[in-house]
Amino acid sequence: MTKPSWRSDFPLLANRPDLVYLDNAATTQKPAAVLDALARYYRCTNANVHRGAHRLSDEATAAFEAARETLARRINARSSREVLWTRGTTEAINLVAAAHGPLAVGTGDRILITEMEHHSNIVPWQQLCQRTGAVLMAARVLPSGEIDHDDYAAKLEEEPRIVSISHVSNALGTVNDLASLIPSAKAVGATVVVDGAQAVAHFHVDVQALGCDFYAFSGHKMYGPTGIGVLYGREELLEEMPPWQSGGEMIERVRIEETTYASLPFKFEAGTPDISGAIAFAAAVDYLDRLDGDAIESHEASLLAYASASLNQVEGLRIVGTARAKGPVVSFLLDGSHPHDVGTLLDQQGVAVRTGHHCAMPLMDALGIAGTVRASFSLYNSRQDVDKLCRAVRTAASML
Amino acid sequence: MPAAAAPCLDDIRSTFGFFDAWQDKYAFLIDIGKSLAPLPEADRTEGNLVRGCQSQVWLVPHFDGDKVHLAIDSDAHIVRGLIAIVLAAYDDRPPRQILDFDIEGLFDELDLIGHLSPTRGNGLRAMVARIRNIAREHAAS
């Protein structure tokens, strides 16, 4: 396989033909279909939603709510009432911690995460613990970058009220075995939250099959725009949660003495939402739905295998994270070289990667390293990109 | 490998003038970085870290009469090279000279910032700001 045909769908890649973009776990590039949807919305449909005294507003509202339906279908939510728009994964997890957290935990109750979490799936829980007196625990990660299932099982015995785990590790690419991790957490009665930021671009997520209570993800990591994301929440839980921000849009009736709140999902969407972002996010999902998902998965898996094998040939290079199930991410270290130095020299050669702790400092501590160089692949990357990466890494190694 | 002597500002200016290829600039930065005396482990403390740098940078000032002596180190080679340039401009100078020196002009002349990522450039500026603060405080004391 040479350059995938999908590549031509992405204007930025055509505008920067020399760029080898391997920072897809940070954000993906956007297909023309998404850019067109954004422009079309502002050119033809722009109006505020849900307060339609006129036809344009009705059209904007219809497009905005159709986008919600598209997202609900994509993750197989029971209803679009279970799909809340957020600014992204971070805000989605903060929403759960702020609005569901105090209903679920009190003094001395446990919250379980893992050592591999992104800071956005750690710090909101720490803050919840500070507010409520709950205690945060983290299941250990093995040197392979996989969750230590024995340690996870042992910590479940303390009956945590909330378990929050990533679907795919942003730093290492490990795909966590949610089919086993979620049922065991549900068996002790925990609310299960999944940080899906790194999963949604790479494979189909079915929230009902997973059996989680909440699932958080971002548009910009799956070919959509920045600033828009989704929190999926089980309807029963969302119903009992109080609003977390307040203002317009989320109310039913306001009197100075008392306010009654709007129904789901609007109760959690105070203020004018990111209408264009939601519509363009749905355009990204439509784009993905038009492609052959299996072909994307197998293309990305073959890039991962090829990159791993090629990088392993570089003397002094060590791949960090050797889980059996991985997304298309290769984290690595060069003997005696700082990841930032390697990243700078790769950048000089037109190869964009991420270096450092990847917002997962506890994971780096657990692995006994300060950071890594991370190459993350997407559907538009090619074997040529991998070859250029390897050549650039060899040049960097020879200079350092 | 015996460490080469730390380069002076004139050396750095004239050497950089010869370079066209990015490899040469970076090879030189890495090389002069290796000429830096490493900071003793005891000085690599949280308190000596320069905030705002992407890699870890430790800075320890000493005062010798009216002169400011700076010991700076990093865990990254390219950053050590940048430190060598900063030291060539600032080390063992009186505070007035440090405060008067046009470091942005030097960075422009060497075309340094353009070759650095914004975050790396900010780290370099954080280091400069810290040194200028030290000079200001010493001048006032």
Side-chain angles (χ1 to χ4, degrees), chain A residues 336-338 340-342 344-345 347-349 355 370 395 399-400, chain B residues 22-23 26-27 30 34 54-56 75-79 115 120:
Chain A
S337 298
H338 197 288
H340 289 328
D341 285 338
V342 179
T344 302
L345 297 179
D347 180 46
Q348 287 297 314
Q349 299 171 79
T355 62
T395 301
M399 291 178 69
L400 291 163
Chain B
W22 71 270
Q23 281 102 326
Y26 275 89
I30 292 164
K34 286 178 179 166
Q54 215 183 14
S55 1
Q56 304 198 85
D75 52 354
H77 289 314
I78 293 170
V79 178
H115 280 276
R120 194 44 77 58

Side-chain angles (χ1 to χ4, degrees), chain A residues 61-128:
Chain A
T61 303
F64 180 65
E65 290 306 321
R68 199 190 302 273
E69 294 288 343
T70 300
L71 266 294
R73 218 168 28 244
R74 173 76 184 182
I75 59 172
N76 194 29
R78 284 164 211 85
S79 122
S80 64
R81 286 190 304 279
E82 298 185 318
V83 172
L84 313 184
W85 298 118
T86 66
R87 283 190 295 138
T89 309
T90 299
E91 191 178 61
I93 295 172
N94 273 277
L95 196 167
V96 179
H100 174 73
L103 304 179
V105 298
T107 307
D109 283 337
R110 301 289 196 254
I111 297 172
L112 177 61
I113 58 171
T114 80
E115 287 179 336
M116 77 166 65
E117 301 310 316
H118 188 284
H119 296 160
S120 61
N121 195 23
I122 301 174
V123 184
W125 305 117
Q126 283 174 339
Q127 294 197 338
L128 175 62

